[in-house]
Amino acid sequence: MTVTTKLRLGVLASGSGTNLQSIIDQCQSGQLDAEIVLVLCNNPDAGALERAGQAGLPHLCINHRDFDDRQSFDRAVVAALKDAGVELVVLAGFMRIISDLFLAAFPQRIINIHPALLPAFPGLHVQKQALDYGARFAGCTVHFVDSGVDTGPIIIQAIVPVFDDDTEDSLSARILQQEHKIYPQAIQLIAEDRVRIEGRRVRIEGAEKYLSALINPPLK
Ligand code: GRF
């Protein structure tokens, strides 16, 4: 009998939690060699908390409004993640900036998903930024978190077309479909210990074999 240890995930979310849901689903179906050991939200009304509850996962709200500053909020978040034995911190629509204290507690072990093709359009309302700019392609990026805003080394990206009649909502929905694919993919690559950070670049070991899976949408 082979015993596989699962990568212990702490998922941080502020909103509806559809990315969280895709990770829950793939953990449950056995597609991911990972388990969610804590879902943590800063917003008591986050749909993500309800999704975690429905899935029977440990979940917790630490409201940033209860803290005087970012450092003390982050200290509480880090303590909860450490208590739960989290090995990889997965930001899934977590609308708070991560402080140096948080980064130091999980070096190269915090990842984020951003709904744009970085380095284009970091920050907020990025689907609208892509539309307003007239970009023909948009997409999403999974990256390691560093001390900048959406600047860390890129693990995986997916591309979607921008259509002439797109609205912010229609483009966001098309991007979100890809987010739900590539976030679990990136987590699985880390669970398989295939991901190496080399300066700004991320090398994925055995990528040749997985190349078709890394191009989103896959080449026909
Ligand atoms: C996603 O678009 C993600 O890329 C961004 O916030 C959104 C979260 O959506 N960082 P959800 O809560 O996972 O549905």
Side-chain angles (χ1 to χ4, degrees):
M1 193 180 87
T2 46
V3 180
T4 48
T5 37
K6 293 185 172 176
L7 182 65
R8 296 172 66 84
L9 309 178
V11 182
L12 271 55
S14 304
S16 75
T18 64
N19 276 288
L20 165 69
Q21 191 66 54
S22 73
I23 299 165
I24 292 174
D25 293 345
Q26 294 211 18
C27 285
Q28 285 177 346
S29 69
Q31 284 164 278
L32 278 183
D33 296 321
E35 59 180 325
I36 299 173
V37 295
L38 183 63
V39 173
L40 199 154
C41 296
N42 64 305
N43 163 18
D45 301 322
L49 283 174
E50 210 175 305
R51 291 178 191 273
Q54 274 166 8
L57 295 171
H59 54 287
L60 181 64
C61 175
I62 300 183
N63 192 335
H64 62 282
R65 293 177 201 278
D66 294 340
F67 295 82
D68 291 336
D69 52 37
R70 184 176 298 155
Q71 297 280 321
S72 39
F73 170 68
D74 274 8
R75 251 190 293 276
V77 170
V78 165
L81 294 169
K82 292 283 182 191
D83 275 357
V86 167
E87 296 169 315
L88 181 70
V89 179
V90 177
L91 307 183
F94 187 61
M95 303 304 283
R96 310 300 303 164
I97 305 254
I98 302 298
S99 69
D100 287 346
L101 172 158
F102 193 159
L103 286 172
F106 290 94
Q108 302 193 336
R109 286 267 127 181
I110 308 176
I111 60 175
N112 181 44
I113 187 146
H114 181 74
L117 284 177
L118 292 171
F121 311 125
L124 295 174
H125 310 298
V126 295
Q127 300 94 336
K128 181 168 187 310
Q129 284 188 52
L131 274 179
D132 290 350
Y133 195 89
R136 284 297 184 191
F137 292 93
C140 47
T141 303
V142 180
H143 63 93
F144 285 102
V145 174
D146 66 7
S147 55
V149 175
D150 304 320
T151 53
I154 291 171
I155 304 168
I156 191 169
Q157 293 183 301
I159 300 171
V160 302
V162 179
F163 298 129
D164 289 346
D165 59 354
D166 261 332
T167 61
E168 190 180 347
D169 282 350
S170 62
L171 180 59
S172 299
R174 193 173 309 120
I175 294 170
L176 203 53
Q177 278 188 344
Q178 296 300 320
E179 293 184 40
H180 297 161
K181 290 186 197 160
I182 68 168
Y183 217 4
Q185 278 181 2
I187 292 167
Q188 181 60 19
L189 288 168
I190 293 171
E192 291 176 11
D193 197 22
R194 292 178 181 280
V195 177
R196 306 275 173 268
I197 302 179
E198 296 177 348
R200 261 232 60 89
R201 298 181 69 174
V202 170
R203 187 161 56 86
I204 298 176
E205 290 188 348
E208 324 73 60
K209 194 169 145 203
Y210 288 80
L211 197 59
S212 61
L214 293 176
I215 297 171
N216 295 282
L219 295 176
K220 292 253 169 12

